[in-house]
Amino acid sequence: MIRQLQTLIRRELWEHKALWIAPVVTAALLWVATFWALASMVASPEGVSAFNEHAVPELAGEGASQMAHGMVRAGIALLYLVTLVVLFFYVLDSLYGERKDRSILFWRSLPVSDTLTVISKVVVALLVAPLIVIAIALILELLDLVTTAPLMALGTDLGYWDFLQPGAVIMALLESLRDMWLLGLWYLPFFGWLFLVSAWARKAAFLWALLPPMGVALAEYLLFRSIHFLSLIGEQFALPFKNMAENQFGFRFDTDRGVSEIQTSTAELTGLSGLAEPAFWVGLALGIGMLAVAVAIRRYRGETT
């Protein structure tokens, strides 16, 4: 079973190259933008003087470690946001596409169960995709050490060793991996719905994924003049990012006063505290239920369109 699962996972990565190409391109653009901005600053005497006066003192002692930790976490967050967009289309096409191109006939001829096939796709979306992001982030960090760090060491009062913060980098990578896995579980009801639509829709899977929830929200508003369903979906989706803004980057969201800045905290993006939220367990149960329905539809559906 383990070997079958490994083979199915490799198949998903081979057939859906955007899962790693998109974060690679994003990381490359991020490196180019960072290198260009720092090179422009180093080429400017005024920029170097301002950096030495204001930034260098802040990086003394634990400042460099905190900077490395924060920059790695921010970079991974950006890469994972791009990956989430890719995952939306990957999951939506995962069971629909194999019927459309009739590759399902080949895979059903092999001794691989429908349950294991769907599990492999869930594992790719929830577990493998974050690992890809972490690997790309690590390569990006090493590239920065080879290119950006010498540039800053030669152009400012910083030393090359100020950029070598392996402990902070490793901690940031591990924390980010944990948070992405927790975020995947938090978003399981969304993934479950997309898998369900992908298994059921005969055509226009994208529209079937969006129109029913929009229809329910519109019907609720027209009948009861309320938006509870829409608010529930919005809160389920936005809560991890709200926690990140409040805890990681130091902003508080107040519905009456808007966004107000507070002191920076070292709390995590979602953290283990998210497991105590009732919405987490309710969403987890709903997601597992929708995945089970998707497996049943794939198993008993005779047509390939």
Side-chain angles (χ1 to χ4, degrees):
M1 178 178 176
I2 300 298
R3 288 186 177 181
Q4 289 179 334
L5 183 60
Q6 291 175 345
T7 301
L8 290 172
I9 290 175
R10 286 197 296 267
R11 166 214 173 187
E12 295 299 319
L13 297 178
W14 177 69
E15 291 185 347
H16 303 274
K17 295 182 176 62
L19 290 170
W20 58 269
I21 290 179
V24 164
V25 172
T26 304
L29 294 176
L30 182 61
W31 175 81
V32 170
T34 302
F35 186 84
W36 182 267
L38 293 178
S40 300
M41 184 199 72
V42 171
S44 170
E46 295 81 5
V48 172
S49 177
F51 182 86
N52 291 334
E53 181 180 355
H54 300 289
V56 172
E58 296 293 330
L59 297 178
E62 293 295 326
S65 178
Q66 294 175 359
M67 179 193 71
H69 182 276
M71 290 185 65
V72 172
R73 293 273 282 173
I76 292 176
L78 177 60
L79 294 179
Y80 192 58
L81 282 177
V82 174
T83 302
L84 280 177
V85 176
V86 175
L87 286 176
F88 172 85
F89 294 99
Y90 161 72
V91 173
L92 193 57
D93 186 67
S94 60
L95 300 175
Y96 170 77
E98 64 180 12
R99 299 196 317 275
K100 186 177 180 180
D101 62 15
R102 296 184 176 269
S103 62
I104 188 175
L105 298 175
F106 169 75
W107 291 106
R108 278 184 170 172
S109 67
L110 301 178
V112 180
S113 67
D114 297 281
T115 301
L116 191 60
T117 299
V118 175
I119 288 176
S120 69
K121 298 175 185 293
V122 175
V123 169
V124 168
L126 270 62
L127 300 180
V128 177
L131 285 173
I132 293 174
V133 170
I134 292 298
I136 295 172
L138 180 58
I139 295 173
L140 179 61
E141 181 65 20
L142 294 175
L143 185 62
D144 283 338
L145 287 177
V146 174
T147 58
T148 304
L151 175 69
M152 294 295 292
L154 293 174
T156 68
D157 290 342
L158 290 176
Y160 183 78
W161 297 105
D162 293 329
F163 295 90
L164 297 179
Q165 303 292 333
V169 172
I170 292 174
M171 184 61 65
L173 292 173
L174 293 177
E175 289 177 356
S176 297
L177 181 61
R178 177 206 61 196
D179 288 346
M180 286 187 288
W181 281 345
L182 287 175
L183 193 63
L185 293 177
W186 184 272
Y187 283 164
L188 191 60
F190 298 106
F191 285 119
W193 169 250
L194 294 177
F195 275 115
L196 178 58
V197 171
S198 183
W200 177 81
R202 295 178 181 272
K203 58 178 62 177
F206 180 81
L207 293 178
W208 279 111
L210 297 181
L211 290 181
M214 293 175 60
V216 172
L218 180 61
E220 179 194 359
Y221 179 76
L222 293 176
L223 293 175
F224 305 105
R225 296 296 175 181
S226 62
I227 55 172
H228 297 302
F229 179 75
L230 193 62
S231 298
L232 179 64
I233 294 178
E235 290 176 3
Q236 184 76 12
F237 184 83
L239 183 59
F241 296 100
K242 175 177 177 289
N243 290 342
M244 178 178 65
E246 290 181 348
N247 298 329
Q248 186 68 23
F249 297 108
F251 292 95
R252 176 184 293 114
F253 284 79
D254 191 323
T255 55
D256 297 326
R257 300 175 60 184
V259 180
S260 58
E261 188 171 356
I262 60 175
Q263 62 180 0
T264 302
S265 171
T266 57
E268 296 82 4
L269 166 63
T270 53
L272 298 178
S273 60
L275 299 178
E277 295 284 346
F280 173 83
W281 296 103
V282 173
L284 195 64
L286 289 175
I288 293 174
M290 285 185 281
L291 288 175
V293 174
V295 170
I297 292 175
R298 188 183 191 274
R299 177 180 301 161
Y300 296 111
R301 191 167 197 170
E303 64 273 19
T304 58
T305 57

